[in-house]
Amino acid sequence: MEKILIIEDDDAIAAIERDYLAIDHFEVELAQDGKSGMEKALQGGLDLILLDLMLPGMDGFTVCRELRERLDIPILMVTARREDIDKIRGLGLGADDYIEKPFSPSVLVARVKAHLARYSRLKQAGKTGPAQQIGMGNIRINTDTHRVYVNGKEIDLKNKEYELLLFMILNVDVVFSRETLYERIWGMDAMGDNATVAVHINRLRDKVEADPSNPRYIQTVRGAGYRFKA
């Protein structure tokens, strides 16, 4: 049984999240503030974290940054903040995705399932068959170890950054819209918000491009989306 930690100070919202996840046979733990949420998360044994941003004491941004440095499981922000800057900040700290309040409980469960499925496939991919080396230009990917090298130096990519880079290199010169990339990498409909993809694209450019403001590989195609240029 997969285990979810909900870090949420609103008892009513936490109860809704817990009940709907329990109906779908998830094991659920609750924490009402950032400090206790951190402690529970670092005990291990979790498969995914639902993290509110507006928490007493240690806020969700701080919790996300601290947890991402130690855990690679999916972290989904649950937030009432609608400003793009808050979403971008959370994604930039390592969150995999976000869900806006108010939300449909069925959508929440679907997003959780999609992220767990993608994470599971990512972990299993390197356990079958020999390691493969995939490269383009000065970028090399070892699909067994999930390690990425630029100019021979290893760079640190989070799960979704790795998936996005691998997908684009395997589909070189193909233009993908933000919506399509969200569906392919995050495993669900784009839900009408493109911030998640845009932030991850920018983070990738910062890590693999010599000049992120003038990218050699991960290019924007005006009015269409993004492509990985051979």
Side-chain angles (χ1 to χ4, degrees):
M1 181 180 293
E2 291 167 308
K3 189 174 183 179
I4 312 296
L5 173 63
I6 298 171
I7 307 177
E8 170 63 68
D9 66 322
D10 188 312
D11 291 339
I13 292 176
I16 291 172
E17 293 175 345
R18 178 198 62 208
D19 291 348
Y20 273 83
L21 289 167
I23 289 171
D24 274 86
H25 309 292
F26 291 106
E27 181 181 350
V28 181
E29 280 199 20
L30 300 178
Q32 291 186 312
D33 59 74
K35 185 175 183 295
S36 63
M38 279 276 296
E39 292 172 351
K40 289 186 177 183
L42 295 177
Q43 289 173 5
L46 297 173
D47 296 288
L48 182 143
I49 296 171
L50 289 172
L51 174 63
D52 183 35
L53 290 183
M54 301 291 288
L55 294 169
M58 184 183 295
D59 65 31
F61 293 115
T62 303
V63 173
C64 183
R65 183 182 65 247
E66 294 292 327
L67 291 181
R68 183 47 77 212
E69 291 178 355
R70 309 182 202 185
L71 302 174
D72 69 348
I73 61 174
I75 299 175
L76 275 63
M77 300 182 300
V78 182
T79 175
R81 296 185 174 189
R82 296 183 177 274
E83 293 82 0
D84 284 344
I85 188 63
D86 291 317
K87 299 171 187 175
I88 291 170
R89 182 184 175 193
L91 293 167
L93 291 172
D96 294 280
D97 202 358
Y98 60 87
I99 301 171
E100 284 189 0
K101 300 176 183 177
F103 54 82
S104 162
S106 60
V107 169
L108 174 80
V109 173
R111 301 277 282 275
V112 166
K113 287 181 175 179
H115 278 278
L116 286 171
R118 297 288 300 186
Y119 181 70
S120 177
R121 287 195 293 271
L122 180 63
K123 288 302 181 184
Q124 291 297 320
K127 297 180 180 179
T128 58
Q132 293 186 13
Q133 296 284 343
I134 298 173
M136 186 66 62
N138 62 344
I139 301 173
R140 293 289 180 271
I141 301 175
N142 185 311
T143 59
D144 183 35
T145 62
H146 295 172
R147 291 181 174 177
V148 178
Y149 303 85
V150 177
N151 292 322
K153 182 179 179 180
E154 184 176 359
I155 61 171
D156 178 36
L157 295 186
K158 308 309 180 187
N159 287 332
K160 286 295 183 288
E161 294 169 354
Y162 172 83
E163 286 188 73
L164 186 57
L165 178 63
L166 180 60
F167 177 78
M168 295 187 76
I169 282 184
L170 291 175
N171 294 277
V172 66
D173 286 330
V174 178
V175 178
F176 293 100
S177 68
R178 291 182 180 182
E179 292 79 8
T180 299
L181 286 173
Y182 191 87
E183 291 166 5
R184 296 292 184 89
I185 305 304
W186 281 260
M188 63 205 88
D189 290 340
M191 309 292 291
D193 198 314
N194 295 320
T196 297
V197 173
V199 170
H200 281 79
I201 287 287
N202 287 336
R203 283 163 58 184
L204 265 182
R205 284 172 172 162
D206 287 340
K207 294 179 179 182
V208 306
E209 299 281 3
D211 181 5
S213 64
N214 185 30
R216 157 72 178 83
Y217 297 110
I218 305 172
Q219 298 184 348
T220 298
V221 180
R222 188 177 299 276
Y226 304 102
R227 68 178 172 187
F228 192 98
K229 181 65 175 176

